[in-house]
Amino acid sequence: MAVTAEWHGEIHAHAAVIAGRISGRLVVENKLEVGATAVIRADIVARSIAVAKGAVIDGAVTVTSGEPVVRFEEKRAAR
């Protein structure tokens, strides 16, 4: 999902990289990567989650693998 993209509602995905805005609910079977420009106002369920510094998450986060959420410094340029 691009930096300028917005989604309102429920998303189900195998894997996802989010850089834009989401409100609703996000369910990811495997890995979710949240970029530094992301603003997520949603409940999240994913097997594993990596969150870049600067990202905003407002909602419940459930990691189904039991592993901790990974935090990282964004290296990619915003598009």
Side-chain angles (χ1 to χ4, degrees):
M1 172 179 260
V3 174
T4 59
E6 288 191 36
W7 182 266
H8 303 279
E10 190 161 325
I11 297 172
H12 289 262
H14 181 72
V17 177
I18 306 296
R21 296 176 170 270
I22 293 177
S23 62
R25 186 164 189 257
L26 179 57
V27 180
V28 180
E29 289 179 39
N30 287 306
K31 184 178 182 179
L32 169 62
E33 183 178 319
V34 181
T37 58
V39 177
I40 300 175
R41 300 197 187 289
D43 291 339
I44 299 171
V45 178
R47 180 165 175 68
S48 65
I49 302 174
V51 179
K53 291 181 182 177
V56 174
I57 298 176
D58 180 14
V61 176
T62 303
V63 181
T64 60
S65 69
E67 296 293 321
V69 172
V70 175
R71 305 215 186 276
F72 67 96
E73 189 75 39
E74 184 79 61
K75 303 281 189 218
R76 291 180 280 223
R79 294 183 188 187

